[in-house]
Amino acid sequence: MIRRALDDGLRPHGLNGLQYTILTLVRDRGQMSSAELSRRFFVTPQTMNESVTALERRGLIVRRESEANRRILLAEVTDEARALLRECDGIADAAERAVFGDMDRAETERLNDLLRARIARLRDG
C-alpha cells in the first residue's frame, strides 16, 4: 500500500519509489558508486547500474571518475535533481506519515533500533 501510494505520488514527476530513494541517498550522502548503491538496496550491480544510467540520461545524476580509483564512477545529483527532490520530498513525507504518523517517540526509536539491527545482520551475511 505505502509503496503504491509513493509511486502514484511520484509518477507525475517522472519518478518511481526506487529512483526517488536513490536520488535522496546520493543527495544526502554525497558521491556514491553504483556498487555501493547496489549493496545498500540489496540488488545486483547490473540492476543498480541500469537505474543509475536511466537517471543519468534524464540529467538527474552525473558520474565522474573517482580520484582514488579511476575505474570507479561516482554518482552525484545535479541541480535539476535537487529541484525535483524538493518537489517530491513532501510526497514521501506524506506517505511516511500515513504509515508511521500514529507512533510516539519511544515507538519510533524502538522501530529504528530494530531496523538498524536487521540491516546490520543482513550486511554481515
Side-chain angles (χ1 to χ4, degrees):
M1 179 173 147
I2 184 72
R3 175 65 184 255
R4 190 160 121 203
L6 182 60
D7 283 341
D8 288 349
L10 294 171
R11 189 172 297 112
H13 299 277
L15 293 177
N16 62 38
L18 175 63
Q19 292 168 327
Y20 170 80
T21 307
I22 291 168
L23 289 172
T24 57
L25 186 62
V26 174
R27 175 194 64 191
D28 296 345
R29 303 239 178 195
Q31 298 178 332
M32 297 181 78
S33 70
S34 288
E36 288 175 292
L37 289 166
S38 68
R39 285 189 294 274
R40 287 191 175 267
F41 286 89
F42 302 102
V43 298
T44 66
Q46 179 181 354
T47 297
M48 183 55 65
N49 189 53
E50 290 170 5
S51 295
V52 171
T53 297
L55 293 168
E56 187 176 33
R57 276 194 299 262
R58 286 191 55 199
L60 300 174
I61 281 183
V62 294
R63 289 190 275 189
R64 295 189 173 90
E65 291 178 351
S66 166
E67 292 179 16
N69 183 341
R70 297 180 73 191
R71 292 185 350 210
I72 297 173
L73 295 176
L74 297 175
E76 61 185 89
V77 296
T78 63
D79 290 340
E80 182 180 343
R82 282 179 180 38
L84 180 61
L85 288 171
R86 281 191 295 275
E87 293 178 31
C88 295
D89 284 343
I91 296 165
D93 291 344
E96 188 175 298
R97 278 191 307 276
V99 174
F100 303 108
D102 63 338
M103 294 174 65
D104 66 29
R105 185 184 232 28
E107 290 172 320
T108 301
E109 288 174 10
R110 177 71 178 135
L111 177 60
N112 284 334
D113 290 343
L114 289 168
L115 291 172
R116 277 194 278 289
R118 295 302 95 203
I119 290 168
R121 185 175 173 97
L122 284 170
R123 285 194 179 130
D124 291 343

